[in-house]
Amino acid sequence: QQLKEYENKNLESVTKEGVELPEDEDAKKKFEEDKATYEGLCKVMKDILDNKVEKVCVSQRLVTSPCCIVTSQYGWTANMERIMKAQALRDNSSLGYMAAKKHLELNPDHCIIQELKKKADANKNDKSVKDLVMLLFETSLLASGFSLEDPTTHSSRIHRMIELGLGIEDDGTVEEEVIDDLPPLEGDDAEASKMEEVD
């Protein structure tokens, strides 16, 4: 059972969209200005995330976090999604549909979002913009209680950011060294001698 009302006051889940907070005229005006300012960034992020989210929008509820994941009014919460994924006889078609009903809300006052906007305005096709957007989305998923579909990719993005922070340039030399050190495949010599005999 869900408690919908307490002492004649309606209760709302802050993890779902449509939460209205009390605000004055100045706050409403600022929110409308922020929506117009960040409309381009929201579109770029939606294009990058594609069907991972239903929409990207500016938030009124965030103070210290750069962004957060909320579910649509009738979408699954993080806990419900975890329960449904654990079902042995789950319906994958409805799982994909309901899991996609996530909204990414941005904090327009956070320095990360402000700098990301500058980067996206300069070149929205920059690979680092895509990496940063995906990293923000995945960390927001974790912070909101959801699980990652591909933790390995998330880890590699984190490692790449650590390398950038330490000033390490990824020039591909490690991969080349590893490839050079690989032992020859078994049977290569036998195959070569057989070919010589045929010739």
Side-chain angles (χ1 to χ4, degrees):
Q1 291 182 348
Q2 289 183 325
L3 186 64
K4 298 284 187 183
E5 196 176 293
Y6 180 72
E7 292 186 353
N8 298 323
K9 291 185 174 67
N10 291 329
L11 300 179
E12 290 188 25
S13 170
V14 292
T15 64
K16 290 188 178 288
E17 66 165 338
V19 174
E20 294 183 2
L21 302 172
E23 54 185 358
D24 54 22
E25 287 302 316
D26 290 339
K28 285 180 182 177
K29 185 180 176 185
K30 181 185 179 302
F31 179 61
E32 291 302 321
E33 288 173 356
D34 287 338
K35 277 208 300 189
T37 304
Y38 286 88
E39 186 180 357
L41 178 63
C42 289
K43 187 178 183 305
V44 169
M45 293 179 76
K46 170 60 181 158
D47 290 342
I48 292 170
L49 296 171
D50 196 20
N51 59 0
K52 288 182 173 66
V53 292
E54 196 170 28
K55 71 175 180 179
V56 180
C57 58
V58 173
S59 178
Q60 290 176 287
R61 71 182 91 197
L62 293 173
V63 178
T64 57
S65 301
C67 54
C68 73
I69 295 287
V70 297
T71 53
S72 61
Q73 202 63 42
Y74 302 104
W76 287 339
T77 60
N79 193 40
M80 178 57 79
E81 186 174 310
R82 212 165 31 243
I83 291 168
M84 295 305 291
K85 280 184 176 178
Q87 299 298 314
L89 301 173
R90 64 178 181 267
D91 181 5
N92 287 325
S93 59
S94 68
L95 183 67
Y97 175 72
M98 295 300 288
K101 289 193 170 290
K102 298 183 184 75
H103 297 176
L104 181 63
E105 292 193 357
L106 310 179
N107 181 359
D109 299 323
H110 200 284
C111 56
I112 290 177
I113 300 301
Q114 291 168 353
E115 288 301 315
L116 183 60
K117 181 185 179 302
K118 291 177 188 174
K119 233 174 166 25
D121 288 345
N123 181 10
K124 66 179 183 181
N125 296 317
D126 188 352
K127 187 179 182 295
S128 64
V129 170
K130 183 181 177 183
D131 272 353
L132 289 167
V133 169
M134 292 301 295
L135 199 55
L136 279 171
F137 171 68
E138 288 167 351
T139 48
S140 296
L141 278 178
L142 290 173
S144 300
F146 292 93
S147 56
L148 297 179
E149 290 180 11
D150 189 1
T152 309
T153 306
H154 178 69
S155 300
S156 64
R157 285 196 183 96
I158 295 286
H159 295 154
R160 197 152 59 238
M161 291 299 157
I162 293 171
E163 286 174 357
L164 287 171
L166 294 172
I168 301 169
E169 291 185 11
D170 184 15
D171 54 3
T173 52
V174 175
E175 286 82 0
E176 289 173 5
E177 287 173 8
V178 172
I179 291 168
D180 291 338
D181 290 343
L182 287 174
L185 292 173
E186 291 182 10
D188 276 0
D189 295 334
E191 287 290 331
S193 60
K194 282 180 184 177
M195 290 298 290
E196 285 173 7
E197 287 173 8
V198 171
D199 290 343

Short mmCIF file of all heavy atoms in Angstrom, two decimals, residues 129-187:
data_model
loop_
_atom_site.label_atom_id
_atom_site.label_comp_id
_atom_site.label_asym_id
_atom_site.label_seq_id
_atom_site.Cartn_x
_atom_site.Cartn_y
_atom_site.Cartn_z
N VAL A 129 32.95 15.71 -25.58
CA VAL A 129 31.58 16.09 -25.18
C VAL A 129 30.74 14.84 -25.00
O VAL A 129 30.02 14.69 -24.01
CB VAL A 129 30.93 17.04 -26.22
CG1 VAL A 129 29.45 17.24 -25.94
CG2 VAL A 129 31.64 18.38 -26.24
N LYS A 130 30.86 13.92 -25.96
CA LYS A 130 30.09 12.66 -25.87
C LYS A 130 30.50 11.87 -24.64
O LYS A 130 29.65 11.34 -23.91
CB LYS A 130 30.32 11.83 -27.14
CG LYS A 130 29.50 10.55 -27.15
CD LYS A 130 29.75 9.72 -28.39
CE LYS A 130 28.96 8.42 -28.33
NZ LYS A 130 29.21 7.54 -29.48
N ASP A 131 31.81 11.78 -24.38
CA ASP A 131 32.31 11.04 -23.22
C ASP A 131 31.81 11.65 -21.91
O ASP A 131 31.38 10.94 -21.00
CB ASP A 131 33.85 11.03 -23.22
CG ASP A 131 34.41 9.86 -24.01
OD1 ASP A 131 33.60 9.01 -24.43
OD2 ASP A 131 35.63 9.80 -24.23
N LEU A 132 31.84 13.00 -21.84
CA LEU A 132 31.40 13.68 -20.62
C LEU A 132 29.91 13.50 -20.38
O LEU A 132 29.48 13.29 -19.25
CB LEU A 132 31.75 15.18 -20.71
CG LEU A 132 33.23 15.52 -20.60
CD1 LEU A 132 33.48 16.97 -21.02
CD2 LEU A 132 33.75 15.29 -19.19
N VAL A 133 29.13 13.57 -21.46
CA VAL A 133 27.68 13.39 -21.34
C VAL A 133 27.36 11.98 -20.85
O VAL A 133 26.54 11.79 -19.94
CB VAL A 133 26.97 13.66 -22.69
CG1 VAL A 133 25.50 13.21 -22.65
CG2 VAL A 133 27.03 15.15 -23.04
N MET A 134 28.01 10.98 -21.45
CA MET A 134 27.79 9.59 -21.03
C MET A 134 28.22 9.37 -19.58
O MET A 134 27.56 8.67 -18.82
CB MET A 134 28.54 8.62 -21.96
CG MET A 134 28.00 8.56 -23.38
SD MET A 134 26.27 8.07 -23.47
CE MET A 134 26.36 6.39 -22.84
N LEU A 135 29.34 10.00 -19.21
CA LEU A 135 29.85 9.86 -17.84
C LEU A 135 28.88 10.48 -16.83
O LEU A 135 28.59 9.89 -15.79
CB LEU A 135 31.22 10.52 -17.75
CG LEU A 135 32.13 10.13 -16.59
CD1 LEU A 135 32.34 8.63 -16.55
CD2 LEU A 135 33.46 10.84 -16.70
N LEU A 136 28.36 11.66 -17.16
CA LEU A 136 27.38 12.32 -16.30
C LEU A 136 26.11 11.48 -16.16
O LEU A 136 25.56 11.33 -15.07
CB LEU A 136 27.03 13.70 -16.86
CG LEU A 136 28.01 14.84 -16.57
CD1 LEU A 136 27.63 16.07 -17.37
CD2 LEU A 136 28.06 15.16 -15.09
N PHE A 137 25.67 10.92 -17.30
CA PHE A 137 24.46 10.10 -17.29
C PHE A 137 24.64 8.85 -16.43
O PHE A 137 23.78 8.51 -15.60
CB PHE A 137 24.09 9.70 -18.72
CG PHE A 137 22.99 8.68 -18.82
CD1 PHE A 137 21.70 9.00 -18.45
CD2 PHE A 137 23.25 7.39 -19.27
CE1 PHE A 137 20.67 8.05 -18.51
CE2 PHE A 137 22.25 6.45 -19.36
CZ PHE A 137 20.96 6.78 -18.98
N GLU A 138 25.78 8.18 -16.60
CA GLU A 138 26.01 6.92 -15.87
C GLU A 138 26.21 7.16 -14.37
O GLU A 138 25.72 6.38 -13.54
CB GLU A 138 27.22 6.20 -16.47
CG GLU A 138 26.91 5.60 -17.83
CD GLU A 138 28.14 5.14 -18.59
OE1 GLU A 138 29.28 5.43 -18.16
OE2 GLU A 138 27.98 4.50 -19.65
N THR A 139 26.91 8.25 -14.01
CA THR A 139 27.08 8.54 -12.58
C THR A 139 25.74 8.96 -11.95
O THR A 139 25.47 8.66 -10.79
CB THR A 139 28.13 9.65 -12.35
OG1 THR A 139 27.86 10.75 -13.23
CG2 THR A 139 29.52 9.15 -12.59
N SER A 140 24.89 9.64 -12.75
CA SER A 140 23.56 10.00 -12.26
C SER A 140 22.70 8.76 -12.04
O SER A 140 21.92 8.69 -11.09
CB SER A 140 22.85 10.93 -13.25
OG SER A 140 23.55 12.14 -13.37
N LEU A 141 22.83 7.78 -12.93
CA LEU A 141 22.12 6.51 -12.76
C LEU A 141 22.50 5.86 -11.43
O LEU A 141 21.63 5.43 -10.66
CB LEU A 141 22.45 5.54 -13.91
CG LEU A 141 21.70 5.68 -15.23
CD1 LEU A 141 22.23 4.66 -16.23
CD2 LEU A 141 20.20 5.48 -15.05
N LEU A 142 23.81 5.79 -11.18
CA LEU A 142 24.29 5.16 -9.94
C LEU A 142 23.81 5.93 -8.71
O LEU A 142 23.36 5.35 -7.74
CB LEU A 142 25.82 5.09 -9.95
CG LEU A 142 26.45 4.12 -10.95
CD1 LEU A 142 27.96 4.29 -10.96
CD2 LEU A 142 26.10 2.68 -10.63
N ALA A 143 23.89 7.27 -8.78
CA ALA A 143 23.48 8.11 -7.65
C ALA A 143 21.98 8.00 -7.38
O ALA A 143 21.53 8.15 -6.24
CB ALA A 143 23.86 9.56 -7.91
N SER A 144 21.21 7.72 -8.43
CA SER A 144 19.75 7.62 -8.29
C SER A 144 19.29 6.21 -7.95
O SER A 144 18.10 5.95 -7.85
CB SER A 144 19.07 8.09 -9.57
OG SER A 144 19.40 9.43 -9.86
N GLY A 145 20.25 5.27 -7.82
CA GLY A 145 19.90 3.92 -7.38
C GLY A 145 19.71 2.92 -8.50
O GLY A 145 19.34 1.78 -8.26
N PHE A 146 19.97 3.32 -9.76
CA PHE A 146 19.85 2.39 -10.89
C PHE A 146 21.15 1.61 -11.07
O PHE A 146 22.19 2.00 -10.54
CB PHE A 146 19.52 3.15 -12.18
CG PHE A 146 18.16 3.78 -12.20
CD1 PHE A 146 17.97 5.09 -11.81
CD2 PHE A 146 17.05 3.06 -12.61
CE1 PHE A 146 16.71 5.68 -11.81
CE2 PHE A 146 15.78 3.62 -12.63
CZ PHE A 146 15.62 4.95 -12.22
N SER A 147 21.09 0.52 -11.84
CA SER A 147 22.29 -0.26 -12.13
C SER A 147 22.72 0.01 -13.57
O SER A 147 21.90 0.30 -14.43
CB SER A 147 22.03 -1.75 -11.94
OG SER A 147 20.92 -2.16 -12.73
N LEU A 148 24.02 -0.11 -13.82
CA LEU A 148 24.57 0.14 -15.16
C LEU A 148 24.47 -1.10 -16.02
O LEU A 148 24.70 -2.22 -15.55
CB LEU A 148 26.03 0.58 -15.08
CG LEU A 148 26.32 1.89 -14.35
CD1 LEU A 148 27.82 2.15 -14.35
CD2 LEU A 148 25.59 3.05 -15.01
N GLU A 149 24.14 -0.92 -17.30
CA GLU A 149 24.08 -2.06 -18.23
C GLU A 149 25.48 -2.56 -18.56
O GLU A 149 25.70 -3.74 -18.75
CB GLU A 149 23.36 -1.64 -19.51
CG GLU A 149 21.87 -1.39 -19.32
CD GLU A 149 21.19 -0.97 -20.61
OE1 GLU A 149 21.83 -1.08 -21.68
OE2 GLU A 149 20.03 -0.54 -20.55
N ASP A 150 26.45 -1.62 -18.64
CA ASP A 150 27.81 -1.99 -19.02
C ASP A 150 28.81 -1.31 -18.08
O ASP A 150 29.35 -0.26 -18.42
CB ASP A 150 28.07 -1.59 -20.48
CG ASP A 150 29.38 -2.14 -21.01
OD1 ASP A 150 30.07 -2.84 -20.25
OD2 ASP A 150 29.72 -1.87 -22.17
N PRO A 151 29.08 -1.89 -16.90
CA PRO A 151 30.01 -1.27 -15.94
C PRO A 151 31.44 -1.16 -16.49
O PRO A 151 32.17 -0.25 -16.10
CB PRO A 151 29.97 -2.23 -14.74
CG PRO A 151 28.73 -3.04 -14.91
CD PRO A 151 28.50 -3.14 -16.37
N THR A 152 31.84 -2.07 -17.40
CA THR A 152 33.19 -2.06 -17.94
C THR A 152 33.46 -0.78 -18.73
O THR A 152 34.51 -0.16 -18.59
CB THR A 152 33.42 -3.28 -18.85
OG1 THR A 152 33.04 -4.46 -18.13
CG2 THR A 152 34.88 -3.39 -19.26
N THR A 153 32.49 -0.40 -19.56
CA THR A 153 32.64 0.83 -20.36
C THR A 153 32.71 2.04 -19.45
O THR A 153 33.49 2.97 -19.68
CB THR A 153 31.45 0.98 -21.34
OG1 THR A 153 31.34 -0.21 -22.11
CG2 THR A 153 31.65 2.16 -22.27
N HIS A 154 31.88 2.05 -18.40
CA HIS A 154 31.89 3.16 -17.44
C HIS A 154 33.26 3.25 -16.77
O HIS A 154 33.80 4.36 -16.61
CB HIS A 154 30.79 2.95 -16.40
CG HIS A 154 30.74 4.00 -15.35
ND1 HIS A 154 30.34 5.30 -15.61
CD2 HIS A 154 31.06 3.97 -14.02
CE1 HIS A 154 30.40 6.01 -14.50
NE2 HIS A 154 30.82 5.22 -13.52
N SER A 155 33.83 2.11 -16.40
CA SER A 155 35.14 2.08 -15.75
C SER A 155 36.22 2.63 -16.68
O SER A 155 37.09 3.40 -16.24
CB SER A 155 35.52 0.64 -15.35
OG SER A 155 34.58 0.13 -14.45
N SER A 156 36.15 2.26 -17.96
CA SER A 156 37.17 2.74 -18.91
C SER A 156 37.07 4.25 -19.10
O SER A 156 38.08 4.94 -19.26
CB SER A 156 37.04 2.02 -20.27
OG SER A 156 35.80 2.33 -20.87
N ARG A 157 35.83 4.80 -19.04
CA ARG A 157 35.67 6.26 -19.13
C ARG A 157 36.28 6.94 -17.90
O ARG A 157 36.92 7.99 -18.02
CB ARG A 157 34.18 6.63 -19.24
CG ARG A 157 33.58 6.35 -20.60
CD ARG A 157 32.26 7.08 -20.79
NE ARG A 157 31.68 6.73 -22.08
CZ ARG A 157 30.76 5.80 -22.26
NH1 ARG A 157 30.30 5.14 -21.24
NH2 ARG A 157 30.30 5.53 -23.47
N ILE A 158 36.05 6.35 -16.73
CA ILE A 158 36.63 6.90 -15.50
C ILE A 158 38.16 6.89 -15.58
O ILE A 158 38.82 7.88 -15.26
CB ILE A 158 36.17 6.09 -14.27
CG1 ILE A 158 34.66 6.22 -14.05
CG2 ILE A 158 36.93 6.53 -13.02
CD1 ILE A 158 34.19 7.54 -13.50
N HIS A 159 38.71 5.79 -16.07
CA HIS A 159 40.17 5.67 -16.18
C HIS A 159 40.72 6.71 -17.15
O HIS A 159 41.80 7.27 -16.93
CB HIS A 159 40.55 4.26 -16.65
CG HIS A 159 40.20 3.20 -15.65
ND1 HIS A 159 39.95 1.89 -16.00
CD2 HIS A 159 40.03 3.26 -14.31
CE1 HIS A 159 39.65 1.19 -14.92
NE2 HIS A 159 39.70 2.01 -13.88
N ARG A 160 39.97 6.95 -18.24
CA ARG A 160 40.42 7.94 -19.23
C ARG A 160 40.43 9.34 -18.62
O ARG A 160 41.33 10.14 -18.88
CB ARG A 160 39.51 7.88 -20.46
CG ARG A 160 40.10 8.55 -21.68
CD ARG A 160 39.61 7.95 -22.99
NE ARG A 160 38.17 8.03 -23.14
CZ ARG A 160 37.39 6.97 -23.32
NH1 ARG A 160 37.90 5.77 -23.35
NH2 ARG A 160 36.09 7.11 -23.47
N MET A 161 39.42 9.63 -17.80
CA MET A 161 39.36 10.94 -17.13
C MET A 161 40.51 11.07 -16.12
O MET A 161 41.08 12.15 -15.97
CB MET A 161 38.02 11.12 -16.41
CG MET A 161 36.84 11.27 -17.35
SD MET A 161 37.02 12.73 -18.39
CE MET A 161 35.95 12.30 -19.75
N ILE A 162 40.86 9.98 -15.44
CA ILE A 162 41.98 10.00 -14.49
C ILE A 162 43.28 10.26 -15.23
O ILE A 162 44.13 11.04 -14.79
CB ILE A 162 42.05 8.67 -13.69
CG1 ILE A 162 40.82 8.54 -12.78
CG2 ILE A 162 43.34 8.61 -12.87
CD1 ILE A 162 40.68 7.18 -12.12
N GLU A 163 43.43 9.61 -16.40
CA GLU A 163 44.63 9.84 -17.22
C GLU A 163 44.74 11.30 -17.63
O GLU A 163 45.82 11.89 -17.59
CB GLU A 163 44.58 8.95 -18.47
CG GLU A 163 44.87 7.48 -18.18
CD GLU A 163 44.67 6.59 -19.40
OE1 GLU A 163 44.26 7.12 -20.46
OE2 GLU A 163 44.91 5.38 -19.30
N LEU A 164 43.61 11.89 -18.04
CA LEU A 164 43.62 13.30 -18.42
C LEU A 164 43.99 14.18 -17.23
O LEU A 164 44.75 15.14 -17.37
CB LEU A 164 42.24 13.71 -18.97
CG LEU A 164 41.86 13.20 -20.36
CD1 LEU A 164 40.40 13.50 -20.66
CD2 LEU A 164 42.74 13.83 -21.42
N GLY A 165 43.45 13.84 -16.06
CA GLY A 165 43.74 14.61 -14.85
C GLY A 165 45.21 14.53 -14.45
O GLY A 165 45.77 15.49 -13.93
N LEU A 166 45.83 13.37 -14.73
CA LEU A 166 47.25 13.18 -14.41
C LEU A 166 48.17 13.64 -15.54
O LEU A 166 49.40 13.57 -15.41
CB LEU A 166 47.52 11.70 -14.10
CG LEU A 166 46.84 11.15 -12.84
CD1 LEU A 166 47.03 9.64 -12.76
CD2 LEU A 166 47.41 11.82 -11.59
N GLY A 167 47.58 14.07 -16.65
CA GLY A 167 48.38 14.55 -17.77
C GLY A 167 49.01 13.43 -18.58
O GLY A 167 50.04 13.62 -19.24
N ILE A 168 48.41 12.24 -18.54
CA ILE A 168 48.93 11.10 -19.31
C ILE A 168 48.24 11.08 -20.67
O ILE A 168 47.01 11.09 -20.75
CB ILE A 168 48.65 9.76 -18.58
CG1 ILE A 168 49.30 9.77 -17.20
CG2 ILE A 168 49.15 8.58 -19.41
CD1 ILE A 168 48.86 8.63 -16.31
N GLU A 169 49.04 11.09 -21.72
CA GLU A 169 48.46 11.07 -23.06
C GLU A 169 48.32 9.64 -23.54
O GLU A 169 49.26 8.85 -23.45
CB GLU A 169 49.35 11.85 -24.04
CG GLU A 169 49.36 13.35 -23.77
CD GLU A 169 50.14 14.10 -24.83
OE1 GLU A 169 50.50 13.48 -25.84
OE2 GLU A 169 50.41 15.30 -24.60
N ASP A 170 47.13 9.31 -24.04
CA ASP A 170 46.86 7.97 -24.56
C ASP A 170 47.23 7.93 -26.04
O ASP A 170 46.48 8.36 -26.89
CB ASP A 170 45.38 7.63 -24.39
CG ASP A 170 45.06 6.21 -24.83
OD1 ASP A 170 46.02 5.43 -24.98
OD2 ASP A 170 43.87 5.88 -25.01
N ASP A 171 48.47 7.46 -26.33
CA ASP A 171 48.93 7.44 -27.73
C ASP A 171 48.89 6.05 -28.34
O ASP A 171 49.36 5.82 -29.46
CB ASP A 171 50.36 7.99 -27.83
CG ASP A 171 51.32 7.27 -26.89
OD1 ASP A 171 50.87 6.31 -26.22
OD2 ASP A 171 52.50 7.65 -26.83
N GLY A 172 48.35 5.09 -27.60
CA GLY A 172 48.20 3.74 -28.16
C GLY A 172 49.44 2.88 -28.08
O GLY A 172 49.48 1.79 -28.60
N THR A 173 50.53 3.37 -27.40
CA THR A 173 51.78 2.61 -27.37
C THR A 173 51.64 1.34 -26.54
O THR A 173 52.24 0.32 -26.84
CB THR A 173 52.91 3.47 -26.76
OG1 THR A 173 52.46 4.00 -25.51
CG2 THR A 173 53.29 4.60 -27.70
N VAL A 174 50.82 1.39 -25.50
CA VAL A 174 50.65 0.21 -24.65
C VAL A 174 50.05 -0.93 -25.45
O VAL A 174 50.51 -2.07 -25.40
CB VAL A 174 49.75 0.55 -23.44
CG1 VAL A 174 49.48 -0.70 -22.62
CG2 VAL A 174 50.40 1.61 -22.58
N GLU A 175 48.99 -0.60 -26.24
CA GLU A 175 48.35 -1.64 -27.03
C GLU A 175 49.32 -2.25 -28.04
O GLU A 175 49.35 -3.45 -28.25
CB GLU A 175 47.14 -1.06 -27.78
CG GLU A 175 45.93 -0.79 -26.91
CD GLU A 175 46.05 0.54 -26.18
OE1 GLU A 175 47.06 1.22 -26.36
OE2 GLU A 175 45.12 0.87 -25.42
N GLU A 176 50.18 -1.39 -28.65
CA GLU A 176 51.12 -1.89 -29.65
C GLU A 176 52.13 -2.84 -29.03
O GLU A 176 52.47 -3.87 -29.58
CB GLU A 176 51.84 -0.71 -30.31
CG GLU A 176 50.93 0.10 -31.23
CD GLU A 176 51.61 1.36 -31.73
OE1 GLU A 176 52.79 1.55 -31.44
OE2 GLU A 176 50.94 2.14 -32.42
N GLU A 177 52.63 -2.47 -27.81
CA GLU A 177 53.60 -3.31 -27.14
C GLU A 177 52.99 -4.67 -26.80
O GLU A 177 53.62 -5.70 -26.95
CB GLU A 177 54.07 -2.62 -25.85
CG GLU A 177 54.99 -1.43 -26.13
CD GLU A 177 55.29 -0.67 -24.85
OE1 GLU A 177 54.89 -1.17 -23.78
OE2 GLU A 177 55.90 0.41 -24.93
N VAL A 178 51.74 -4.65 -26.34
CA VAL A 178 51.06 -5.90 -25.99
C VAL A 178 50.92 -6.79 -27.21
O VAL A 178 51.15 -7.99 -27.16
CB VAL A 178 49.67 -5.60 -25.37
CG1 VAL A 178 48.89 -6.89 -25.20
CG2 VAL A 178 49.83 -4.90 -24.03
N ILE A 179 50.56 -6.19 -28.34
CA ILE A 179 50.38 -6.96 -29.58
C ILE A 179 51.70 -7.56 -30.03
O ILE A 179 51.78 -8.70 -30.46
CB ILE A 179 49.79 -6.06 -30.69
CG1 ILE A 179 48.34 -5.71 -30.34
CG2 ILE A 179 49.84 -6.75 -32.05
CD1 ILE A 179 47.74 -4.62 -31.19
N ASP A 180 52.81 -6.77 -29.90
CA ASP A 180 54.12 -7.27 -30.32
C ASP A 180 54.58 -8.44 -29.46
O ASP A 180 55.31 -9.32 -29.93
CB ASP A 180 55.17 -6.15 -30.25
CG ASP A 180 54.92 -5.08 -31.32
OD1 ASP A 180 54.25 -5.41 -32.33
OD2 ASP A 180 55.38 -3.95 -31.13
N ASP A 181 54.19 -8.44 -28.19
CA ASP A 181 54.64 -9.49 -27.27
C ASP A 181 53.84 -10.78 -27.36
O ASP A 181 54.12 -11.73 -26.66
CB ASP A 181 54.58 -8.97 -25.82
CG ASP A 181 55.64 -7.90 -25.57
OD1 ASP A 181 56.58 -7.86 -26.39
OD2 ASP A 181 55.53 -7.15 -24.58
N LEU A 182 52.80 -10.80 -28.18
CA LEU A 182 51.97 -12.01 -28.27
C LEU A 182 52.78 -13.18 -28.84
O LEU A 182 53.53 -13.01 -29.81
CB LEU A 182 50.76 -11.76 -29.17
CG LEU A 182 49.65 -10.88 -28.59
CD1 LEU A 182 48.59 -10.62 -29.66
CD2 LEU A 182 49.01 -11.55 -27.39
N PRO A 183 52.66 -14.36 -28.26
CA PRO A 183 53.40 -15.52 -28.78
C PRO A 183 52.81 -15.98 -30.12
O PRO A 183 51.62 -15.73 -30.38
CB PRO A 183 53.17 -16.60 -27.70
CG PRO A 183 51.89 -16.20 -27.05
CD PRO A 183 51.84 -14.70 -27.10
N PRO A 184 53.61 -16.62 -30.98
CA PRO A 184 53.08 -17.11 -32.26
C PRO A 184 52.03 -18.19 -32.04
O PRO A 184 52.10 -18.93 -31.06
CB PRO A 184 54.32 -17.67 -32.97
CG PRO A 184 55.28 -17.98 -31.87
CD PRO A 184 55.02 -16.96 -30.79
N LEU A 185 51.07 -18.27 -32.94
CA LEU A 185 50.02 -19.28 -32.82
C LEU A 185 50.59 -20.67 -33.03
O LEU A 185 51.50 -20.86 -33.85
CB LEU A 185 48.93 -19.01 -33.87
CG LEU A 185 48.10 -17.75 -33.66
CD1 LEU A 185 47.20 -17.54 -34.86
CD2 LEU A 185 47.25 -17.87 -32.40
N GLU A 186 50.05 -21.63 -32.28
CA GLU A 186 50.51 -23.00 -32.43
C GLU A 186 50.17 -23.52 -33.81
O GLU A 186 49.07 -23.31 -34.32
CB GLU A 186 49.83 -23.88 -31.37
CG GLU A 186 50.29 -23.59 -29.96
CD GLU A 186 49.62 -24.51 -28.97
OE1 GLU A 186 48.97 -25.45 -29.42
OE2 GLU A 186 49.75 -24.27 -27.76
N GLY A 187 51.15 -24.21 -34.41
CA GLY A 187 50.89 -24.81 -35.72
C GLY A 187 51.25 -23.90 -36.88
O GLY A 187 51.12 -24.29 -38.03
#
